[in-house]
Amino acid sequence: SLVYDVNTKQIQLPEASDDMAMNIAQINKLTQDLIAESNPNFTPKPRDDSTAMIKKLFENGLKQTKQQHFPEALKSISLAIEMAQRKRTPWEAFAIQLQELQFMVKNRIDLCLIQGKFMDALQDIELLQNTGVNTSDVFIRKTDALIKLKQYELAKVECERGLSLDPTNVKLKALLLENTRKLAEYNG
Amino acid sequence: LSYDYDESSETWPFFLLTLLCVVLIPLTIAQLYALLKSENSEKATRQKSPLDELDERYTSAKMIDFQKKFSNKRSKLTSKRTIFVVVGWAIVALLVNKIGGNEAIKEAASSLFDPYELLGIATSATEKEVKSAYRKLSVKFHPDKLSKDLTEQQRLDMEEQYVLITKAYKALTDELTRENFLRYGHPDGPQATSHGIALPKFLVNSSGSPLVIISYIAMLGFILPFFVSRWWSRTQSFTKKGIHVKSASYFADRLFNFKPSQVVTVDMIIKWLSHAEEFKIFYPNLTPSVFESLLHDHLNRSSSSDLEDVKLRIVAKTHSLLFGLLDIATSFRNLEITNVTLDTFKSIVQATPSGPYSQILQLPNVNQKAFLEGAVDDIRTLGKLFTFDDKKIGKILGIDDEGKLKDTLTVASQIPHLKIVRAEFKVPGEPVVTPSSTPHIVLKVMVRSARHKFFTPNKIPDEMCSEPQDFDSLRDPFASTLEQPVIPETFAPYFPVKRTGSWCCIVVLQKDGKVIQTPMITNRLSFVNLSKDFDKRKVKDVDSEFDPKEWEVGTIKIPFSQPAPPQKGDYFFRVIVKNTDYFGADLDITMPMSVRD
Amino acid sequence: NQALKRRYQAELARKEIFTEQW
């Protein structure tokens, strides 16, 4: 049975199943954020102070990218994303939070790819795909990352899917050719 | 009001005999057919392979013991049905004997009127023969013609005989008499008939009747309901795919609650399998975590000491569980789980963990440590392995013994690889796929060895890939694929049961990346190409040395569960043809469906 | 929003699994 701690205002369920534990974590997070909220008339509109902080970090990252200080840029943008994860409350508009995350992650992907962090890039790409972004850019980057990670069979699958959705894409066709060559060598 | 009972056992033997024959004759025919069929059946069409003998040799003694213990426990000869048939016929023989020795029956039979017998002619005699027989006999038996020396009794007998002969003649010739004979079995018209109960008296009357009533109650109240309910619950306990409904509902629950952020791994599938109800029924005292660790032991080819038999038995059961899970995963349209389920299948059959080097590690005699540590080139595929000469391969795999190396190379070269030659959506009788038609997928594949030199699909001329266009083929396009032979037995010395693998064909809609139908399973393809000598290490010029006529093109046809879209356009599908038994034997292509008028 | 956060947090675990697999 549920246990409620009056001091922390959190509920607990000993021996909860995975799904139940997830629900309880959600409730506790909501409670915490509600308690921390100073404005009694809060709305789904994203808080301006949070937006300002996130924007500052992100623009810092963009500036460093222009200056070709890629490791620093990566750090700044990662910080911006972490800031958004920490500061945004569950009741701030989902559409805006999603767009914000997707936009920042897209930048991070390119920075990872430039610096050879292919596995990190792949995780960000799959996050985008899981949240419904299926543009050719995503397929191009995923194919590239997979080829660099020597996963030629997976790269072929992604590239072909990308071409199914955009059959005339030149970059994807070029990647398919490159991957086919690599696959031939892989298979002796 | 008063019935005659069968005191003299005249009728109940016939009643029992009829009942027995009605059951025994079809059952005997069915059993004989099954006995003969099981000898010939698939063995006749299954291809032989060099791996058959190797598989025998590499199967451990422990495994052979296990196979003897658990498979074919009851041969057809000693099955319950056969015993029933034999006992049944023995009872029939007894009854026939009883009938033959029964005086009352003989008497009743003798009083039957048989004109042919009386006249001493065959039943097929013509009218002329009847007349001449009568004339001869009437001369012999006519009262006026009888000899004077006969006694009174003899005279009476002869007269009686004469009357009978005359009646017999009339029965066959005279209209009225013949009608009587045909209708009542006697020329004089209806004879005395009796009606009675074809059961001995003691069964129906006071002394025996409690016994009869008790047996009726037992039959209708207990025995019949018992068998019916046992059959019904057995049928209800298992799904169409042959897995327990509890296992199926567990898998469905896992799939329903599956979060896309989870990465599907072979370990996850093994964890799911360990919760199968079938395992619980086999071994009620063991927990799912025990089953899970046994399955991992199997993958790592490590012994499970006193649980060895348990391990082998549950491994054998995974075959039907994995097919059941496959069916459920495709119903949920989940491609990731479908693919990993089939990878798990391979892992279990070959007792090799799924990883980047599985294609190599599935081979026999490979020294894993030497292979992984001593690697200069990163060899992950059999095709890459065969770019080296045999001696070098021995070094790479860490095999010193020449005999063992030869075995390993045989296995490696006999693992079937599929190469796509042609792929299209086909509507029978139409040149294109028209809107809302029912297409099916036709794949023309080349089964080739990893050893063979690569040749492009355009080297295979169109004539070798054409489909018959006669009426029967158009009516049933899938019949032609059944003419291909059944694939040979899999080389799987670690799997407890001798098996033939199969290819599972999965169709995915590229637009959403989801599976669109349950898989089509096939185990018919010719492996004759595998023994061809076209070694990539020896062939210098493909163009001159390759003769397509020497190669066999295989066909895989996949029915399409939905009609073609109603609008014209190009729709893309991904077709995955995954083998259940070998790593490296898969095919994964994208093909367009061009819907045109 | 919480589901999105969970999906983002899962990146680290996924990276570990794929690194091990490949």
Side-chain angles (χ1 to χ4, degrees):
Chain A
S1 45
L2 281 174
V3 175
Y4 177 61
D5 184 334
V6 185
N7 295 322
T8 58
K9 308 276 191 287
Q10 310 247 306
I11 54 173
Q12 252 189 312
L13 187 67
E15 293 172 28
S17 66
D18 288 340
D19 286 343
M20 201 55 86
M22 189 179 80
N23 280 327
I24 287 175
Q26 283 194 173
I27 294 169
N28 286 336
K29 171 86 169 85
L30 191 57
T31 314
Q32 258 182 312
D33 285 352
L34 279 170
I35 292 166
E37 179 56 61
S38 48
N39 178 9
N41 303 318
F42 62 86
T43 65
K45 183 172 174 291
R47 286 177 61 138
D48 290 327
D49 52 354
S50 307
T51 310
M53 275 193 268
I54 298 164
K55 202 166 170 193
K56 184 156 167 257
L57 282 165
F58 183 69
E59 279 173 354
N60 212 8
L62 286 182
K63 195 167 68 172
Q64 286 163 326
T65 310
K66 272 210 182 76
Q67 295 169 342
Q68 312 238 336
H69 297 150
F70 297 127
E72 291 84 358
L74 181 58
K75 230 182 242 137
S76 301
I77 297 199
S78 293
L79 271 169
I81 296 174
E82 291 298 323
M83 183 67 76
Q85 291 286 301
R86 240 182 328 121
K87 286 282 177 190
R88 294 287 183 212
T89 55
W91 57 80
E92 286 173 64
F94 173 68
I96 302 203
Q97 289 204 43
L98 179 63
Q99 260 186 319
E100 183 180 70
L101 180 66
Q102 287 174 337
F103 186 66
M104 291 198 282
V105 161
K106 272 188 199 154
N107 272 278
R108 190 163 77 169
I109 290 170
D110 286 335
L111 280 167
C112 285
L113 286 173
I114 289 171
Q115 294 180 62
K117 294 180 192 280
F118 301 117
M119 187 57 91
D120 290 334
L122 186 65
Q123 293 317 310
D124 276 343
I125 293 167
E126 291 196 330
L127 178 83
L128 282 186
Q129 283 186 317
N130 274 172
T131 56
V133 182
N134 270 331
T135 55
S136 303
D137 294 332
V138 176
F139 284 106
I140 289 168
R141 282 158 180 71
K142 192 167 181 190
T143 308
D144 185 34
L146 286 168
I147 291 176
K148 298 282 189 341
L149 288 165
K150 299 199 179 155
Q151 299 300 314
Y152 305 118
E153 283 160 347
L154 292 175
K156 174 172 176 267
V157 167
E158 287 302 318
C159 201
E160 284 183 353
R161 178 138 189 255
L163 279 167
S164 304
L165 300 173
D166 184 6
T168 54
N169 191 296
V170 176
K171 185 71 184 152
L172 279 172
K173 284 195 211 173
L175 278 169
L176 188 65
L177 212 58
E178 183 196 333
N179 190 53
T180 308
R181 259 184 245 128
K182 290 251 157 62
L183 254 178
E185 222 247 275
Y186 175 76
N187 282 311
Chain B
L1 278 173
S2 71
Y3 286 103
D4 287 332
Y5 294 100
D6 189 18
E7 296 308 324
S8 44
S9 295
E10 276 180 53
T11 35
W12 73 259
F14 288 102
F15 177 57
L16 192 60
L17 189 66
T18 316
L19 271 179
L20 277 171
C21 286
V22 159
V23 172
L24 279 175
I25 292 174
L27 198 62
T28 313
I29 294 173
Q31 277 298 88
L32 281 172
Y33 181 68
L35 255 172
L36 292 169
K37 183 170 182 264
S38 64
E39 306 292 298
N40 301 331
S41 68
E42 273 201 350
K43 284 198 181 141
T45 53
R46 180 174 296 151
Q47 298 166 75
K48 294 269 171 290
S49 150
L51 297 183
D52 293 340
E53 184 265 336
L54 274 174
D55 193 63
E56 294 268 351
R57 244 195 303 135
Y58 277 82
T59 308
S60 67
K62 264 203 193 132
M63 188 71 83
I64 294 174
D65 280 339
F66 174 83
Q67 285 172 350
K68 278 207 189 104
K69 220 197 289 181
F70 283 98
S71 68
N72 284 332
K73 228 183 179 159
R74 254 189 263 121
S75 79
K76 283 253 150 59
L77 276 170
T78 52
S79 71
K80 280 195 199 131
R81 259 202 203 168
T82 315
I83 295 172
F84 178 77
V85 165
V86 168
V87 168
W89 282 113
I91 298 178
V92 165
L94 274 171
L95 280 172
V96 167
N97 208 17
K98 188 174 167 54
I99 291 170
N102 192 323
E103 286 304 317
I105 296 178
K106 276 207 186 125
E107 220 182 276
S110 65
S111 68
L112 289 171
F113 189 85
D114 185 355
Y116 293 101
E117 201 194 318
L118 284 166
L119 291 172
I121 50 177
T123 45
S124 54
T126 60
E127 205 165 326
K128 211 167 148 201
E129 283 166 4
V130 170
K131 279 205 179 120
S132 76
Y134 175 64
R135 232 179 283 128
K136 284 201 199 103
L137 286 170
S138 63
V139 162
K140 200 164 148 205
F141 285 93
H142 198 280
D144 303 335
K145 302 277 176 32
L146 291 171
S147 158
K148 299 277 192 293
D149 322 323
L150 297 169
T151 63
E152 195 57 41
Q153 184 59 39
Q154 280 169 323
R155 193 172 267 274
L156 277 169
D157 285 339
M158 298 289 239
E159 274 177 17
E160 220 179 282
Q161 196 67 5
Y162 180 67
V163 168
L164 283 171
I165 290 168
T166 318
K167 273 194 192 158
Y169 175 66
K170 282 221 182 101
L172 292 174
T173 50
D174 177 51
E175 277 307 314
L176 191 63
T177 327
R178 183 198 257 154
E179 212 186 298
N180 268 338
F181 172 63
L182 287 171
R183 209 189 283 184
Y184 302 111
H186 200 283
D188 297 339
Q191 300 291 287
T193 51
S194 62
H195 291 99
I197 296 179
L199 290 172
K201 188 167 185 174
F202 78 93
L203 272 183
V204 188
N205 266 0
S206 48
S207 58
S209 60
L211 187 70
V212 177
I213 290 175
I214 289 171
S215 53
Y216 263 125
I217 293 172
M219 266 300 290
L220 292 173
F222 297 101
I223 297 174
L224 206 63
F226 172 73
F227 279 108
V228 170
S229 75
R230 195 174 75 155
W231 166 80
W232 179 249
S233 72
R234 279 226 187 108
T235 315
Q236 290 295 85
S237 302
F238 287 86
T239 67
K240 251 196 301 177
K241 286 280 161 188
I243 65 173
H244 200 280
V245 292
K246 284 209 179 116
S247 305
S249 79
Y250 178 81
F251 292 153
D253 185 70
R254 297 290 96 221
L255 266 146
F256 188 73
N257 290 310
F258 181 73
K259 291 179 200 49
S261 62
Q262 279 175 284
V263 180
V264 191
T265 55
V266 169
D267 287 348
M268 180 192 277
I269 304 291
I270 298 226
K271 206 186 195 98
W272 292 2
L273 287 176
S274 62
H275 284 89
E277 190 66 18
E278 283 88 337
F279 295 169
K280 283 198 195 99
I281 294 173
F282 280 164
Y283 303 106
N285 300 325
L286 300 177
T287 62
S289 54
V290 171
F291 296 131
E292 195 184 343
S293 69
L294 285 176
L295 286 170
H296 280 294
D297 279 349
H298 171 76
L299 286 191
N300 296 317
R301 300 185 187 178
S302 56
S303 160
S304 308
S305 43
D306 42 339
L307 290 175
E308 189 71 17
D309 272 2
V310 177
K311 177 181 80 176
L312 291 175
R313 207 157 164 223
I314 64 170
V315 165
K317 201 60 183 142
T318 54
H319 173 101
S320 53
L321 287 171
L322 284 165
F323 271 119
L325 176 56
L326 187 67
D327 200 55
I328 295 169
T330 50
S331 308
F332 275 85
R333 305 192 67 204
N334 192 312
L335 179 60
E336 243 194 308
I337 292 178
T338 303
N339 271 333
V340 180
T341 301
L342 284 163
D343 288 337
T344 311
F345 215 143
K346 291 176 214 263
S347 284
I348 290 180
V349 169
Q350 295 296 337
T352 305
S354 178
Y357 302 101
S358 300
Q359 280 194 38
I360 309 293
L361 296 175
Q362 70 184 330
L363 299 174
N365 303 323
V366 172
N367 185 330
Q368 190 168 331
K369 201 157 174 277
F371 170 67
L372 291 173
E373 287 173 11
V376 176
D377 300 290
D378 191 16
I379 301 168
R380 299 185 178 196
T381 60
L382 292 173
K384 189 74 187 267
L385 188 70
F386 273 113
T387 54
F388 301 95
D389 64 78
D390 288 357
K391 222 164 151 205
K392 184 89 203 303
I393 294 177
K395 271 212 190 72
I396 293 169
L397 300 179
I399 304 172
D400 300 316
D401 183 89
E402 258 196 56
K404 285 199 176 138
L405 179 62
K406 187 161 175 281
D407 289 343
T408 304
L409 290 172
T410 308
V411 174
S413 59
Q414 288 290 322
I415 290 177
H417 282 63
L418 295 184
K419 203 77 199 152
I420 192 78
V421 176
R422 303 279 194 274
E424 61 171 346
F425 282 92
K426 196 93 185 78
V427 176
E430 304 275 350
V432 289
V433 177
T434 49
S436 306
S437 57
T438 21
H440 58 267
I441 297 172
V442 179
L443 299 176
K444 292 290 177 187
V445 296
M446 187 69 84
V447 175
R448 51 184 283 275
S449 164
R451 197 171 35 100
H452 290 155
K453 179 99 180 158
F454 175 72
F455 42 86
T456 50
N458 55 19
K459 290 232 170 357
I460 314 290
D462 287 336
E463 305 90 64
M464 286 183 73
C465 307
S466 63
E467 283 285 301
Q469 292 297 318
D470 57 292
F471 180 70
D472 282 327
S473 312
L474 292 178
R475 198 163 45 94
D476 182 12
F478 299 94
S480 59
T481 54
L482 295 175
E483 286 165 22
Q484 295 175 115
V486 174
I487 64 183
E489 266 179 22
T490 307
F491 178 80
Y494 290 94
F495 196 77
V497 180
K498 292 254 170 283
R499 55 177 294 121
T500 342
S502 47
W503 272 279
C504 299
C505 305
I506 298 151
V507 184
V508 179
L509 180 66
Q510 281 290 42
K511 193 159 123 188
D512 61 4
K514 291 194 196 300
V515 183
I516 60 167
Q517 57 189 40
T518 49
M520 201 280 291
I521 321 255
T522 179
N523 65 351
R524 286 187 178 265
L525 268 181
S526 171
F527 277 24
V528 78
N529 292 344
L530 291 176
S531 308
K532 291 241 175 324
D533 185 21
F534 200 65
D535 201 313
K536 59 169 74 162
R537 299 166 289 190
K538 297 194 191 118
V539 171
K540 297 283 176 269
D541 178 22
V542 179
D543 289 325
S544 57
E545 294 181 53
F546 178 70
D547 180 11
K549 298 279 184 327
E550 290 175 3
W551 296 72
E552 179 116 0
V553 175
T555 310
I556 296 176
K557 285 192 186 165
I558 308 169
F560 204 67
S561 62
Q562 319 158 345
Q567 285 99 10
K568 283 192 291 185
D570 287 326
Y571 304 88
F572 290 90
F573 294 88
R574 178 179 166 198
V575 179
I576 309 172
V577 182
K578 245 173 139 80
N579 190 282
T580 51
D581 290 17
Y582 293 119
F583 291 97
D586 304 337
L587 192 63
D588 192 334
I589 59 165
T590 297
M591 47 191 289
M593 181 198 281
S594 304
V595 180
R596 306 275 183 269
D597 281 326
Chain C
N1 283 316
Q2 302 231 40
L4 182 61
K5 280 200 176 67
R6 279 194 296 273
R7 178 57 186 89
Y8 179 78
Q9 307 298 346
E11 279 199 330
L12 199 61
R14 289 175 66 95
K15 184 178 162 182
E16 273 172 24
I17 295 173
F18 281 119
T19 310
E20 196 197 315
Q21 267 189 354
W22 297 348

